[in-house]
């Protein structure tokens, strides 16, 4: 296997890890405004992802860094062409981190209410825009012969990309509901499953529409195969959720997001960013790649450090594996 292909696959895996892991904590962030009925329940929701959300974002940093080092032309065109949506995502991630840290720093209903709104908005924006960005990458954007993006922000808001954004938004919300059901106990656990099933019906319609649209556009058998597996995994997640086995249901939504991402990258390869002007201007794994020497060095670094990162993150999930409920939130925490 060529190193360029190896790094395309590795970057795809990094995006799968990021979307699966950050997908559920985006979902939990959005649920702060939908599921919780009082401040203790909002605290329970935030505590379910408190030890995990910042570790999940490591996958984004690694995916971005790997893209920059392995495919600098792809990175340059992507970040210049998608400047505004990526800037909005970055601002949302900063606001979200600040909101998690500052929400409990003062007493007062208004103080917490404002930070709750910040968490909800800053979780919703990236959940929507990541879908818009990925759909545009697969569909193709205006790239000229100099490998420069020559479109505008509004070119990115086409119907296919907006549908992709709604798919990630709703699927992440279901993913978050099932994570809350898995990590909590009591009434909030039951409400999370019920809400996940209601949102799941809408998400299923959107996801199937997006898969069919992608399959018709790409016309490749592998895209249809992974699209079909994505739909089957999501339906299985909803059916399992009705039986109360939250762990299996959550694993099924994680599989759904993973298969959906594979479908998009399979449709993309060997391009990394197609041109909607002329296919001769497409950025590919060959013309967008770094030198062979750079890829060799990167491969050795990835072989050494990737297992260490995976072991540390697995350990953190194991340590914080127990369920929590409102009885675990002491009053003095709310008043701190």
């Amino acid at each position: 296997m060529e190193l360029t292909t190896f790094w395309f696959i590795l970057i795809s895996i990094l995006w799968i890890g990021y979307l699966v892991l950050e997908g559920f904590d985006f979902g939990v962030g959005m649920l702060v405004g939908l599921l919780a009925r009082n401040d203790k329940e909002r605290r329970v929701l935030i505590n379910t992802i408190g030890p995990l959300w910042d570790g999940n974002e490591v996958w984004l940093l690694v995916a971005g860094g790997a893209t920059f080092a392995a495919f600098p032309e792809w990175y340059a065109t992507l970040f210049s062409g998608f400047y505004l949506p990526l800037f909005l995502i970055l601002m949302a991630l900063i606001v979200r981190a600040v909101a998690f840290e500052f929400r409990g720093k003062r007493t007062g209903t208004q103080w917490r209410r404002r930070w709750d709104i910040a968490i909800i908005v800053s979780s919703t924006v990236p959940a929507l825009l990541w879908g818009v960005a990925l759909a545009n990458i697969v569909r193709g954007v205006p790239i000229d012969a100099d490998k420069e993006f020559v479109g505008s922000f509004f070119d990115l808001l086409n119907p296919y990309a907006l549908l992709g954004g709604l798919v990630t938004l709703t699927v992440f919300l279901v993913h978050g509901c099932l994570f809350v059901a898995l990590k909590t106990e009591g009434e909030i656990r039951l409400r999370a499953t019920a809400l996940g099933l209601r949102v799941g019906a809408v998400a299923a319609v959107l996801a199937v529409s997006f898969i069919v649209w992608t399959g018709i556009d790409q016309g490749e058998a592998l895209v249809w195969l992974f699209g079909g597996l994505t739909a089957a995994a999501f339906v299985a997640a909803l059916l399992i959720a009705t039986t109360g086995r939250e762990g299996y249901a959550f694993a099924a939504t994680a599989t759904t997001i993973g298969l959906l991402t594979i479908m998009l990258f399979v449709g993309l390869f060997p391009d990394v960013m197609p041109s909607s002007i002329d296919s001769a201007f497409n950025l590919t794994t060959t013309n967008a790649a770094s030198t062979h020497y750079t890829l060799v060095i990167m491969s050795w670094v990835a072989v050494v450090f990737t297992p260490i990162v995976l072991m540390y993150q697995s350990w953190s999930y194991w340590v914080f594996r127990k369920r929590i409920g409102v009885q675990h939130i002491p009053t003095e925490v709310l008043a701190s």
Side-chain angles (χ1 to χ4, degrees), residues 35 38 43 56 96 107 121 149 172 237 245 258 301 324-326:
L35 196 62
N38 54 53
R43 188 72 249 177
N56 295 342
R96 192 163 175 266
T107 59
V121 173
F149 177 83
F172 287 172
R245 291 179 289 183
V301 171
I324 61 172
V326 291

Side-chain angles (χ1 to χ4, degrees), residues 260-299:
L260 182 63
T261 311
I262 292 173
M263 182 195 77
L264 293 175
F265 277 88
V266 164
L268 190 60
F269 186 81
D271 297 326
V272 293
M273 208 163 174
S275 170
S276 58
I277 297 175
D278 190 329
S279 60
F281 304 153
N282 288 1
L283 295 180
T284 68
T285 54
T286 302
N287 66 21
S290 290
T291 63
H292 180 75
Y293 180 74
T294 301
L295 295 178
V296 169
I297 296 295
M298 289 177 59
S299 300

Side-chain angles (χ1 to χ4, degrees), residues 1 14 38 99 120 131 196 247:
M1 179 188 295
L14 291 171
N38 54 53
I120 296 164

